[in-house]
Amino acid sequence: MVIVVVVINTMISVVLLYVAWRVWQLRRLIAFVADRLIDYERCSHDLLYKAPENIYLGQQNLQNMRLSNQSLQIQIQQVRQIVSLLLLGQRTWGRYVRKPVSISPK
């Protein structure tokens, strides 16, 4: 009877030792995953830390470019109007101040 109790206790001890070893492996795996997640969080924090400020600056730069573009569009329109007036003046001047073409027989 004592031998049966000793064998059962030994088997229970072996099973519990195996369970303890698996729990220890699981703990190491969880610690590894936690370390990786902390590293990823640190990297993403460093990457995204200034994102709101950069977005705000980008919006300001875009607004400044739009305003600059508007002023350039106005200047381009004014230059086109000036060129159109000059061409109109040239045509008008050409109609009224034509040089008489002399046709001389040879």
Side-chain angles (χ1 to χ4, degrees):
M1 190 69 164
V2 172
I3 294 179
V4 173
V5 171
V6 170
V7 169
I8 291 175
N9 281 341
T10 305
M11 287 184 357
I12 291 173
S13 296
V14 168
V15 168
L16 290 178
L17 180 64
Y18 176 75
V19 169
W21 178 69
R22 292 296 291 181
V23 167
W24 182 71
Q25 282 185 332
L26 184 62
R27 186 186 76 70
R28 287 183 55 206
L29 178 65
I30 291 172
F32 175 77
V33 169
D35 289 343
R36 293 291 82 72
L37 289 175
I38 289 171
D39 290 342
Y40 296 151
E41 190 274 334
R42 194 174 296 133
C43 290
S44 65
H45 175 73
D46 292 344
L47 229 147
L48 300 175
Y49 174 68
K50 293 205 175 202
E53 182 180 334
N54 291 338
I55 290 170
Y56 178 71
L57 288 175
Q59 287 174 340
Q60 283 183 331
N61 290 337
L62 185 61
Q63 185 177 5
N64 291 340
M65 287 178 64
R66 285 181 179 154
L67 290 174
S68 174
N69 188 27
Q70 283 178 349
S71 67
L72 289 175
Q73 290 293 334
I74 291 171
Q75 289 176 356
I76 289 171
Q77 183 180 4
Q78 290 173 345
V79 168
R80 284 183 180 164
Q81 288 174 346
I82 291 170
V83 169
S84 295
L85 285 174
L86 289 174
L87 289 175
L88 180 64
Q90 182 184 16
R91 282 189 217 129
T92 306
W93 180 262
R95 284 185 190 165
Y96 293 111
V97 188
R98 284 196 178 189
K99 293 182 180 178
V101 179
S102 63
I103 303 177
S104 61
K106 285 190 178 181

